[in-house]
Amino acid sequence: MAVLLTLVRRRKGSDSVPYDGEALRRLDSSVTRARYWVTRTPREAVRLLRRVRLYNIAAAVLTTITGLLAWPLVDEGSRLTAQIVLSTLSCLAAVAVAVPYATGLHDRVEASIKLCGMYGALYGELLRARSQVGTSPTTQPPVTELIQQLHDLTARKDALALAAPAPDGDEASGEHPAPVHGAARPSRAEPCARPATGPRPTGKRRSL
């Protein structure tokens, strides 16, 4: 019985692929970058959404102005002037509505919203993989696959031109090094010392 248990343990140990230092380093780096984009991607999506809303607001304002000026121009102004002004305002309103779709801004907003959910799900998978490294005999291919998924997701994000690439290290996680306790503070500049002055020369008074 003891021999059988020993063979089973050896079998399990031979099936598991140990993590090397490079794989662990890549896993930690991937977790850091995923954490950065989990918080950064929603802000970029909101920024793009605000740009779309600005175009919509501009179109609404132009449409309102066109409606308010229609009857006064027709009643008081010439017919040609009314047609030119109203047509120009209507064209500007239509352009404001079409710009987000023509420039691909609307598609970028939808894609960035999808990226938010994908980054969140992948970040959870990376955290789960990192927590299982020292507890269960997980194999190398799943971790490598997660890292590759992060690279593919980052390529899709770069294609949308959302923001600059994530910095490395503590900057990517938004953490800043804490000040070291007990460190000597920079001393203030000493005021300039006044030059030493000796006794003033005293001359003899002239006798009258």
Side-chain angles (χ1 to χ4, degrees), residues 120-192:
L122 186 57
Y123 178 55
E125 293 294 332
L126 288 170
L127 287 179
R128 188 177 297 107
R130 190 174 66 174
S131 64
Q132 291 176 352
V133 169
T135 57
S136 61
T138 55
T139 58
Q140 188 81 13
V143 174
T144 305
E145 182 181 355
L146 290 176
I147 295 175
Q148 185 61 40
Q149 289 180 10
L150 180 62
H151 287 321
D152 296 340
L153 197 59
T154 304
R156 294 179 58 180
K157 184 267 305 175
D158 294 337
L160 296 176
L162 292 181
D168 296 327
D170 293 337
E171 296 180 0
S173 60
E175 299 176 357
H176 301 281
V180 180
H181 296 284
R185 297 183 178 179
S187 59
R188 298 181 179 178
E190 296 292 338
C192 298

Side-chain angles (χ1 to χ4, degrees), residues 19-204:
Y19 287 95
D20 54 357
E22 180 65 20
L24 292 177
R25 187 189 64 82
R26 292 180 59 194
L27 179 60
D28 291 337
S29 178
S30 299
V31 170
T32 301
R33 288 181 175 273
R35 179 171 61 248
Y36 175 81
W37 287 114
V38 161
T39 57
R40 182 66 182 271
T41 308
R43 289 184 291 178
E44 294 296 323
V46 170
R47 181 179 62 86
L48 295 177
L49 185 60
R50 287 176 179 174
R51 291 177 58 184
V52 174
R53 287 180 177 176
L54 286 178
Y55 283 107
N56 294 334
I57 291 173
V61 170
L62 290 172
T63 303
T64 303
I65 294 175
T66 303
L68 293 176
L69 293 180
W71 288 109
L73 287 175
V74 171
D75 291 341
E76 299 177 3
S78 62
R79 196 171 196 179
L80 179 61
T81 303
Q83 290 178 352
I84 293 174
V85 173
L86 295 179
S87 299
T88 303
L89 291 176
S90 300
C91 290
L92 290 176
V95 168
V97 173
V99 164
Y101 296 92
T103 58
L105 183 60
H106 189 271
D107 296 334
R108 290 172 62 193
V109 170
E110 292 183 351
S112 61
I113 293 175
K114 294 179 181 178
L115 282 178
C116 295
M118 297 175 69
Y119 267 116
L122 186 57
Y123 178 55
E125 293 294 332
L126 288 170
L127 287 179
R128 188 177 297 107
R130 190 174 66 174
S131 64
Q132 291 176 352
V133 169
T135 57
S136 61
T138 55
T139 58
Q140 188 81 13
V143 174
T144 305
E145 182 181 355
L146 290 176
I147 295 175
Q148 185 61 40
Q149 289 180 10
L150 180 62
H151 287 321
D152 296 340
L153 197 59
T154 304
R156 294 179 58 180
K157 184 267 305 175
D158 294 337
L160 296 176
L162 292 181
D168 296 327
D170 293 337
E171 296 180 0
S173 60
E175 299 176 357
H176 301 281
V180 180
H181 296 284
R185 297 183 178 179
S187 59
R188 298 181 179 178
E190 296 292 338
C192 298
R194 297 180 179 178
T197 56
R200 296 180 180 178
T202 56
K204 294 182 179 181

